[in-house]
Amino acid sequence: RVALGRAIVREPSVFLMDEPLSNLDAKLRVQTRAEIARLHQRLGTTTVYVTHDQVEAMTMGDRIAVMRDGLLQQVGRPQDLYDHPVNVFVAGFIGSPAMNFATVKATEGQDLMFGGAKLELAGEQARAAESRPQGSNLLIGFRPEHIEIANGQAGDAVKFPATVDVVEYLGNEELIHAQAEGIEIVAMLPSEARVKVGDRVDLAVPMEKLHIFDPESEKALAG
């Protein structure tokens, strides 16, 4: 706060903040984050804020620039980076818990094979699958908060079976760690789902929430 005050009285045209909250405890970090946001709204001064904490970037930034090894990966509004990441790094970095990734195989037509499960695609995702030679691999990504329990009804979603390993109770939500076709999937489900360790469940991801990446370049093809 003292450092901020000393900077404000100089009336600079730009503020540079280099991980200002990294040494604070969790409660004070949330409080100070809100204070800095209010201060920015009141002063209207351009602020360059450097942080490794993606929650700080998402909650405080009007625009986010994601960097990796000194190279700029993507610039945009928080919602743009969350909904339309341009590559695997940005997709895995933005969002908590992190996005799930799985390797799938392109088949003839508009389907992908996720182990023994067939993912029936449509629209943009289907066109991305068709752009690859039959038998080649693709990387799919989907966020834990977009996973649902499939109830057998037909719908515009990709479905696959999974076996629950760990259940983390968070109150109104549960973090589910499950094995699906040999990889670990993390899902954020409402506590009312009553999922237990050892349960075999069918999970579903709405088609519009599915991201498809090129496994070699790691660039987004759809999503």
Side-chain angles (χ1 to χ4, degrees), residues 3-8 10-21 36 39-40 43 45-51 60 67:
L4 277 173
R6 293 176 64 184
I8 290 170
R10 297 172 65 90
E11 298 184 354
S13 55
V14 178
F15 289 114
L16 173 60
M17 301 186 186
D18 188 1
E19 300 199 43
L21 311 183
I36 292 176
L39 193 62
H40 177 260
L43 298 175
T45 304
T46 298
T47 303
V48 180
Y49 191 104
V50 182
T51 180
M60 300 174 68
M67 300 190 70

Side-chain angles (χ1 to χ4, degrees), residues 23-39:
N23 294 323
L24 304 182
D25 61 60
K27 183 178 180 180
L28 187 56
R29 188 179 298 124
V30 173
Q31 179 183 339
T32 310
R33 201 166 66 205
E35 289 180 0
I36 292 176
R38 292 191 191 99
L39 193 62

Side-chain angles (χ1 to χ4, degrees), residues 146-200:
H146 294 154
I147 299 176
E148 307 167 352
I149 297 291
N151 296 317
Q153 74 275 19
D156 194 16
V158 295
K159 304 178 179 65
F160 53 89
T163 302
V164 178
D165 284 340
V166 177
V167 178
E168 298 181 74
Y169 180 72
L170 301 176
N172 65 323
E173 295 175 322
E174 293 178 335
L175 273 183
I176 308 300
H177 299 256
Q179 295 295 321
E181 302 297 342
I183 67 167
E184 181 175 336
I185 300 294
V186 178
M188 185 174 286
L189 302 174
S191 299
E192 292 77 16
R194 307 297 182 188
V195 177
K196 299 181 178 60
V197 173
D199 285 355
R200 186 165 176 81

Side-chain angles (χ1 to χ4, degrees), residues 79-91:
Q79 192 72 42
D80 294 336
L81 271 62
Y82 179 84
D83 290 337
H84 306 289
V86 297
N87 58 31
V88 171
F89 178 79
V90 176

